[in-house]
Amino acid sequence: MSQEHRHSPKDPACLEVFARLSEYLDGELPPEECAAVEAHIADCPPCVEFLENLKRCIGASREMQTDCRPEPMPKAMEDKLRAAWMQALARKGA
Ligand SMILES: [Zn+2]
């Protein structure tokens, strides 16, 4: 772990949401976990922002596919989104 503290989310709930987002967006989470993610997001602007960006990116990349099977998110895109999310969390000062 070489990341600086100020760039890391301090809220473990945010990390948990992040870890589950792709399953959440794919509708693979059980209903109670889905509700837990939504409850967290409702009260966490950085996570809302992150989720909206993620949805936009996934939607855009899926539209470009002729195949109807969704592709996994490109690593570079995930890194970029994660960096933006970390910054939003740092601003939140949690
Ligand atoms: Zn959060």
Side-chain angles (χ1 to χ4, degrees), residues 31-59:
E32 67 273 13
E33 295 203 18
C34 203
V37 167
E38 281 169 357
H40 173 84
I41 287 170
D43 198 32
C44 188
C47 283
V48 173
E49 197 180 320
F50 179 74
L51 184 61
E52 291 305 311
N53 284 334
L54 190 60
K55 279 183 183 167
R56 258 200 302 279
C57 290
I58 289 175

Side-chain angles (χ1 to χ4, degrees), residues 9 11 13-15 17-18 40-41 43-48 85 89 92:
D11 189 346
C14 289
L15 290 173
V17 165
F18 183 83
H40 173 84
I41 287 170
D43 198 32
C44 188
C47 283
V48 173
W85 176 68
L89 286 171
K92 183 187 166 192

